[in-house]
Amino acid sequence: MFSDLQPEPLQPSAFGSRFTLNNILLSLLCVTGTACSTTAPTEKVLFEDDRGSVALQTIANPSIQASHPISLEPSLLALLLRGLEIHDHGIGPHRRVVEGFAGQPATYPLFSEDQIRFLAPLLAEGLRTATANQAIEYRVVTTREGSNRLQSSIKETTSGSLYAHGRELYVILSEFRHNPMCT
């Protein structure tokens, strides 16, 4: 639907590119500060270790009423988590660079098998204990070893939340393989 839209190139201002860069950085700082200040507080941590965490949090939008508590088997949740994928279509005119062979977009599983074994029983517990105004917050951390002796290991975080509403399960992704060392 929006694939034909192309961003307009930034034009240097009368004050030079440094002024424009400062405005962009200030805008990003404001957006980041606003996003951090509106995050719902974690009410109860169900589990936390080096692999990640699962917690209950208040749903920030009071018009959303979840159908909690509900009972779902961890095996059913594992099946659902295995079916979640990330499709990398690229952005703007450079989207063809990240496409796979024959024009197919790259596809990645959202969670590894280890992450699924970690998350499924904890998410099932969260759905059983959450109330109608709570979502289940999840975070998984993966440590990838460096490709050689000179490269250090990399920690990546995938996080988000989920909640049930009626007969539907909403899975929200906040971060996918986020590496704080790259920002």
Side-chain angles (χ1 to χ4, degrees):
M1 172 161 71
F2 297 102
S3 61
D4 295 332
L5 297 177
Q6 298 293 324
E8 293 184 18
L10 292 175
Q11 300 296 324
S13 69
F15 298 106
S17 61
R18 182 172 171 87
F19 179 75
T20 303
L21 181 60
N22 286 340
N23 283 343
I24 292 170
L25 290 174
L26 181 60
S27 297
L28 288 173
L29 182 63
C30 290
V31 168
T32 303
T34 302
C36 291
S37 66
T38 59
T39 303
T42 298
E43 291 182 356
K44 180 181 178 184
V45 176
L46 299 176
F47 185 85
E48 184 171 25
D49 70 7
D50 291 341
R51 298 172 292 171
S53 64
V54 172
L56 302 179
Q57 73 180 54
T58 302
I59 297 175
N61 185 346
S63 66
I64 297 175
Q65 289 294 303
S67 304
H68 302 153
I70 65 167
S71 183
L72 290 177
E73 289 297 318
S75 60
L76 180 60
L77 284 167
L79 188 62
L80 170 98
L81 295 175
R82 278 188 196 93
L84 297 177
E85 297 177 329
I86 297 291
H87 297 273
D88 190 355
H89 295 284
I91 299 173
H94 305 292
R95 70 179 161 266
R96 289 196 175 114
V97 174
V98 295
E99 289 180 352
F101 294 104
Q104 296 298 316
T107 302
Y108 310 98
L110 180 56
F111 299 108
S112 70
E113 281 300 315
D114 288 340
Q115 292 170 336
I116 292 169
R117 281 191 296 274
F118 171 73
L119 282 175
L122 295 171
L123 294 176
E125 177 64 22
L127 289 168
R128 276 191 300 274
T129 59
T131 62
N133 67 338
Q134 292 178 317
I136 296 84
E137 179 182 80
Y138 64 85
R139 180 179 57 85
V140 288
V141 178
T142 303
T143 302
R144 299 188 193 282
E145 295 302 321
S147 59
N148 58 44
R149 292 185 314 189
L150 300 175
Q151 189 177 25
S152 61
S153 61
I154 299 168
K155 286 193 175 200
E156 296 176 330
T157 303
T158 298
S159 65
S161 60
L162 72 122
Y163 66 93
H165 181 72
R167 296 181 53 95
E168 298 175 338
L169 189 64
Y170 291 84
V171 179
I172 296 112
L173 180 64
S174 302
E175 295 178 316
F176 177 65
R177 296 183 183 171
H178 173 71
N179 179 354
M181 299 303 289
C182 291
T183 57

